[in-house]
Amino acid sequence: MSKLVYLVPLFPLIGFLINGLGRKSLSKSLIGIIGSGAILASFVVSLVLFFDVKAHGGSVVSYFNFIDVESFKIAFAFQVDQLSSLFLLIITGIGFLIHLYSTSYMHEEEPQHFGRYFAYLNLFVFSMLLLVLGANYVIMFIGWEGVGLCSYLLIGYWFKNENYNYAAKKAFVMNRIGDLGFLLAVFWIITRLGTTNYADVFANAAHLSKFDATVITTLLFVGAMGKSAQIPLYTWLPDAMAGPTPVSALIHAATMVTAGIYMIARSNALYSLAPFTQHLVAIIGLATALFAATIAIKQNDIKKVLAYSTVSQLGYMFLGLGVGAYTGAVFHVMTHAFFKALLFLGAGSVIHAMHHEQDIRMMGGLKKKLPITHITFLLGCLAIAGIPPFSGFFSKDEILAAAYAESPIYWGVGVVTAGLTAFYMFRLYATTFLGQFRGTHEQEHHLHESPSAMTIPLVVLAILSVLGGMVGVPEILGGHHELHHFLSPILTTEHEHHIEHNVEFGLMAASVILAALAIAFAIGRYSKKPELNDANGFGKVLANKWYIDELYDAIVVRPLNAIATFLKNIIEKSGIDGIVNGVGKLVNYSSRQLRLLQSGLVGNYILIMVLGIVVFILIWFYDTTILRMIGKIF
Amino acid sequence: MVPVLLILLPLITGLVSFFMKGENGGKAWALASSILTLLVALGGIFLYNQPAHLTYDTSWLTSVGSRFSVGMDGMGKMLCLLTAVSFPIIFLATSKNNYKDSGSFYALMLLTQAGLTGVFVATDCLLFYFFWELALIPVYFLCSKWGGEKRIAVTFKFFIYTFIGSLLMLVGILYLYFQTPAHSFAIKDFYALQLSSEQQNCIFWLMFIAFAIKMPIFPFHTWQPDAYEQSPTATTMVLSGIMVKMGIFAVVRWLVPIFPEATKYYSHFIVVLSVIGMIYASLIAIKQDDIKRLIAYSSIAHIGLMAAAIFAGNAIGLKGVMVQMFNHGINVIGLWIVANAIEQQLGTRKFSELGGLAQKAPTLAILLVIMAFANIALPLTNAFVGEFLMFNGLFQFNVYVTAVAGISIILGAVYTLNMVQKIFYGNTVIATENAKEISGNVQLALVVLTVMIIVLGVYPQPLINLTNDTVKAIISVH
Amino acid sequence: MPIQYYIYLALALFSIGIIGVLVRRNAIIVFMCIELMLNAVNLLLVAFSKMHHGVAYATDKASTVGIDGQLFVFFIMVVAAAEVSVGLAIIVMLYRNTHSVDVNFLNRLKN
């Protein structure tokens, strides 16, 4: 069965080629059908594979040798196992819904650009599938860079806008910083173990010294920081909202940004050997979660709020990874993919209805005009806020419980963040959907619910957001945590701590109560009287994202530019080229001076001749004396 | 016989081309000649590749003991293939450029091709030197007669640089010649030399500086951006696509195996120098406002990596260098073709005067984006394989150096995306207001290159295997 | 008479000649100074010839050692005579053309 795995990435690739090459000749509906159909086909194959894996376990399918030099071999091989098949379902499933949504959302584009859009989107899914399916780190890296490329192309999809281009470039360059870490980790693995195959690496991981394991995992984590937008490499993600909204939903919420979590979960055997890195991952994750949540409170762009929320949720996942709750992290990836895709698509629906207005201060009261969007959005907000029995509750709770077992401080910060999350999400909800409409009359006149191609994905995702948690109901709530059992062959559980049931109940209750209070406060405060003025005081710092972009500009970008200018103008032009040209000028100058000796005066010539003879005679007779004198001088 | 054919074909057709008059004299002739050469090269490398076909030896300068002996090992095959593939593409892509006295122009181009092929196949050191100069001299004329505004000064600089290098190399070659027991220039006699450490350490530098200027590696590089900028684009393509490979080739063929001790002794120094050059060139590339100069500095950065990987002295790095020699040639020619297409059509190469071209010429934009991402070694493009192997080799040599060199990956993304953004994105400006899509010839050339980029990026194994024998031979000397 | 005296005399003559060539501008005097130098050399040649011959003659009456020095002197005298005639002829022509025998005046030849 797993022989079929090549079909999964093949369909999107074919879709990419058809849409990319035929974008000028195909009609829009055909492009949409090809683009979405390719992903649907992949989804079907993924489903087949998933149940196959569930029944018979995973396997590795090798196609050809990608790189084969004597000291090591890198096969172009796919690994289908519990972890990758789960990700396949998420990617192709949500991918399909978002493709479907895009056919309607992007229908105003010219056919040529419409084709380009779907080609990029297909290419993205192809790269993402490579990333997940690869049976070694190099294939993963291929997908890793591939999704970076597609992210770049899609963020800069509306390429006429310079700011969007800068955002795209920023995303790519920041990702590349992480990629360098990833690449160095791969080299380190090759040097120490002579292979990059997951199976061989993890089997031999015990041979690694503690130092090696720590360095490798840290470098891999640097890669994850770039891709999954963690401190200090997170600033690209909010800017990436320049792309079309479905792209934000697919790439910058549901799939690509979780690649880092996938990578660390995949390498859990290595991370278990490096407690230092685990602490690092947990602390960075937690810091990012809190930090991004504080920024989200004061954002007024509907997509920016969701972007910071994504960064924050990703931080949660890293917290889970850092405290050894790999299953919890993957679980949260899944539920987050559901509800965050839902929220982004809902936001897209709102933006669509509002004619590309993204500022929530211009909205309000959309509840009546957009009933389906409103309901699904509300469900998404409840899921992300961690209200039982929505999906987010179970995954978030699992991470928090594991964090408590590691250290109550982790738990404390995590719960505060959860409260903030509930608060800013419902601030967003209340400002957008409740109260009175604050936009122009024209906008109000045109307000309409989105077409069914957009609402169907919303409904499907809403159902998933509500019920998605059921696969991981913990035992204390009477569940079996089927996801845990499913993933147990891949994810080590040896580091999972267990806490007493009544403590766990207490923790759950605390976080739910906090979230409920935050929701009540947010709705109470913003439904009637939303904040319309620009923030001041501390709020201004938050609204300006703690001035981190300005800080990076001052400590990285500008010095780099200054150095580059210095090298170009001073070192290169005056320095090295100056020396080279200087040699030429010296020859020129000295020849001009020497020319003057030829005065044409016979007397001068003779004088020089005579002096020359005298010198020669002196040297001839007194050579030893002269040599001694020179010896004394030096 | 194959190598002799590969040299003679362009040589003879080139000489004939001198007598072709008229506005486009020699244009079609040169294209036909280069395609024929390509066919011969393909045949020789893939069909008639027995040793008897690939070597040839006859007496040449008997009085000094130099023979006309040529032969192709893996590296020779690969670079001959690169030369043979590049020239038709270059002629095709620049077929819309008009050169005054074009018969002579194409004649000189073909002579360069003959010289380059000779360099890659010569197994006699004096013959190697002869071809080295044969490849360079036409370039001086090409640049000084058909170049840009500052061509005379630039050619002069280029000439002095390379000529100093050549002379140093000649001294080194003669010294080695007198050391051989039988007074011969044959490569096997050179390889068999047992030189003392002092001899190695001195002569090494004579040869190395010659090759370092040609590559070029920091700080011998300042001729290069000027020469690339001022030369006619077809010549620039030859210069950066193939001719810089001459320097790398020569290090692998004529330096490392002859001076193994000195190579090891100076390896740290040279690796560090190369890595400094990489970062330095990348930083300068960020600040360039001219497509040609940007590509030139980007090329210096890439060459720095290759030089570092050679001196890392391990098989992986060396394999990467081999693969990358071919791939860099293809990629950089692709970039030049785009630069040329833009300059021919819009009359400017300055970023500050360009923008929004993607709206007017989407095909060109897509092809450039592919070339640009190949230039920064995105996986599944050909350059990734080479860079991956080279960085890997460098990593085994020294971790910290690799980490520093890795910064160039990031900087590479910065300047390449800058270029893409400033030329193609944003709104149209005066220069690009009436821009049109590129012509069919250019598209064909770029598509051929794109196919090669993707195919070699997805399935690079044949290219890796092609040079196995060379790498094995070099590493066994180490 | 010891050989030193000849050497000192020749040195003195030669130095006078050099200084004369360097400082005088009159072509004829420069010419005479050149002659002076030539004769200084002649004097040395003759003196050393005599000395060497004298030493050899003491043991072997048929010895010809040293006579080549005197031969050279004759050569030099002949060459000098030829030179003087050519040189004076040039000077005379010069005088006719420029009414001057100043050597520095002749640097116009360089153009």
Side-chain angles (χ1 to χ4, degrees), chain B residues 426-442:
Chain B
N427 279 313
T428 49
V429 294
I430 306 160
T432 54
E433 202 57 55
N434 297 314
K436 282 192 277 302
E437 192 57 272
I438 43 172
S439 70
N441 284 347
V442 180

Side-chain angles (χ1 to χ4, degrees), chain B residues 55-68:
Chain B
T55 55
Y56 184 77
D57 184 78
T58 184
S59 59
W60 185 44
L61 302 174
T62 37
S63 53
V64 293
S66 173
R67 298 181 65 78
F68 187 93

Side-chain angles (χ1 to χ4, degrees), chain A residues 68 159 169 176 572 577 580, chain B residues 157 280 297 409 418 426 461:
Chain A
D68 175 12
F159 56 73
K169 197 171 75 183
R176 273 242 147 172
E572 180 81 352
D577 220 21
V580 173
Chain B
K157 194 167 167 187
Y280 176 82
Y297 279 105
I409 296 182
N418 264 344
Q461 200 56 42

Side-chain angles (χ1 to χ4, degrees), chain C residues 41-62:
Chain C
V41 175
N42 282 348
L43 182 63
L44 272 182
L45 280 170
V46 172
F48 278 106
S49 164
K50 181 75 180 70
M51 186 186 85
H52 289 303
H53 188 69
V55 175
Y57 185 77
T59 53
D60 179 10
K61 300 283 187 246

Side-chain angles (χ1 to χ4, degrees), chain C residues 24-31 87-108:
Chain C
R24 299 307 296 259
R25 284 155 59 181
N26 188 316
I28 295 179
I29 293 181
V30 168
F31 228 77
L88 278 176
I90 292 173
I91 291 171
V92 169
M93 291 301 291
L94 217 61
Y95 184 73
R96 280 196 191 151
N97 278 327
T98 64
H99 301 285
S100 157
V101 288
D102 187 337
V103 279
N104 281 0
F105 195 63
L106 297 181
N107 71 358
R108 273 187 299 174

Side-chain angles (χ1 to χ4, degrees), chain A residues 480-547:
Chain A
H480 295 289
H481 208 315
E482 284 169 28
L483 190 70
H484 191 102
H485 295 297
F486 178 66
L487 290 173
S488 57
I490 302 292
L491 301 178
T492 165
T493 51
E494 57 187 287
H495 289 269
E496 269 179 32
H497 309 275
H498 289 283
I499 48 178
E500 287 174 33
H501 280 187
N502 49 356
V503 178
E504 200 172 341
F505 265 125
L507 298 179
M508 270 184 204
S511 65
V512 171
I513 289 167
L514 190 64
L517 286 176
I519 290 171
F521 178 61
I523 290 186
R525 172 149 180 217
Y526 293 110
S527 60
K528 294 281 177 289
K529 235 175 53 179
E531 63 186 88
L532 298 176
N533 301 326
D534 281 334
N536 46 27
F538 185 62
K540 195 175 175 192
V541 176
L542 292 182
N544 283 307
K545 311 147 201 170
W546 296 91
Y547 296 101

Side-chain angles (χ1 to χ4, degrees), chain A residues 67-377:
Chain A
I67 295 177
D68 175 12
V69 292
E70 271 132 64
S71 41
F72 64 90
K73 208 180 270 186
I74 294 161
F76 204 100
F78 289 154
Q79 178 158 350
V80 193
D81 59 12
Q82 287 80 355
L83 188 60
S84 57
S85 63
L86 183 70
F87 269 84
L88 285 189
L89 282 184
I90 298 174
I91 295 161
T92 53
I94 295 182
F96 169 67
L97 292 173
I98 291 172
H99 275 69
L100 184 63
Y101 180 94
S102 300
T103 55
S104 173
Y105 187 82
M106 302 295 285
H107 72 99
E108 288 168 18
E109 296 289 308
E110 289 169 34
Q112 185 186 337
H113 293 302
F114 194 71
R116 187 163 62 90
Y117 174 81
F118 273 94
Y120 289 165
L121 220 51
N122 280 175
L123 184 64
F124 167 76
V125 174
F126 166 75
S127 309
M128 193 66 209
L129 292 171
L130 274 192
L131 192 163
V132 173
L133 279 173
N136 56 53
Y137 282 105
V138 175
I139 304 298
M140 189 202 266
F141 185 73
I142 292 175
W144 190 268
E145 289 258 279
V147 291
L149 166 72
C150 299
S151 163
Y152 166 78
L153 293 172
L154 282 165
I155 296 170
Y157 170 75
W158 284 304
F159 56 73
K160 282 186 203 169
N161 187 322
E162 289 285 346
N163 288 335
Y164 292 4
N165 290 321
Y166 280 113
K169 197 171 75 183
K170 184 175 175 186
F172 193 83
V173 170
M174 281 207 147
N175 269 303
R176 273 242 147 172
I177 298 173
D179 294 350
L180 178 59
F182 191 152
L183 209 51
L184 290 174
V186 172
F187 294 147
W188 206 293
I189 293 172
I190 289 176
T191 312
R192 292 291 180 271
L193 300 174
T195 176
T196 57
N197 292 341
Y198 297 144
D200 301 332
V201 171
F202 303 147
N204 295 320
H207 300 308
L208 289 172
S209 70
K210 193 149 195 156
F211 174 72
D212 283 337
T214 308
V215 174
I216 290 170
T217 48
T218 308
L219 288 171
L220 282 177
F221 180 50
V222 171
M225 278 178 196
K227 191 94 346 187
S228 297
Q230 295 299 294
I231 289 173
L233 299 179
Y234 73 94
T235 55
W236 65 269
L237 185 56
D239 289 3
M241 295 302 125
T245 310
V247 170
S248 311
L250 179 60
I251 301 186
H252 305 120
T255 53
M256 182 184 90
V257 288
T258 59
I261 289 102
Y262 169 77
M263 186 234 287
I264 293 181
R266 177 59 85 190
S267 320
N268 65 78
L270 293 174
Y271 278 84
S272 301
L273 295 171
F276 169 78
T277 323
Q278 285 199 305
H279 285 298
L280 184 71
V281 172
I283 290 168
I284 297 243
L286 201 56
T288 312
L290 182 62
F291 192 71
T294 58
I295 299 175
I297 291 174
K298 284 287 170 191
Q299 297 302 311
N300 287 322
D301 181 322
I302 185 167
K303 285 180 78 180
K304 283 274 161 75
V305 177
L306 293 176
Y308 280 105
S309 152
T310 305
V311 176
S312 172
Q313 295 297 312
L314 290 167
Y316 256 112
M317 298 173 205
F318 279 100
L319 171 65
L321 295 171
V323 297
Y326 297 109
T327 320
V330 173
F331 188 21
H332 200 56
V333 167
M334 191 180 97
T335 57
H336 176 255
F338 295 150
F339 59 68
K340 192 51 68 64
L342 169 63
L343 289 168
F344 264 113
L345 294 187
S349 179
V350 170
I351 294 168
H352 188 75
M354 295 285 296
H355 286 272
H356 301 285
E357 174 62 67
Q358 300 193 7
D359 193 330
I360 53 174
R361 288 173 296 189
M362 297 293 148
M363 299 175 183
L366 299 182
K367 188 174 157 185
K368 284 162 237 150
K369 303 276 183 180
L370 307 171
I372 303 177
T373 310
H374 165 245
I375 294 292
T376 50
F377 200 90

Side-chain angles (χ1 to χ4, degrees), chain B residues 219-277:
Chain B
F220 303 107
H221 65 277
T222 53
W223 63 270
Q224 201 213 31
D226 291 338
Y228 283 9
E229 188 189 1
Q230 294 297 325
S231 297
T233 313
T235 311
T236 310
M237 291 178 198
V238 176
L239 267 174
S240 66
I242 315 170
M243 207 167 268
V244 296
K245 312 300 178 301
M246 249 165 64
I248 297 175
F249 165 87
V251 168
V252 177
R253 170 72 38 94
W254 295 101
L255 192 75
V256 174
I258 299 177
F259 310 101
E261 263 183 60
T263 306
K264 207 162 265 172
Y265 186 70
Y266 292 118
S267 61
H268 275 93
F269 178 72
I270 293 172
V271 167
V272 168
L273 198 67
S274 310
V275 170
I276 291 174

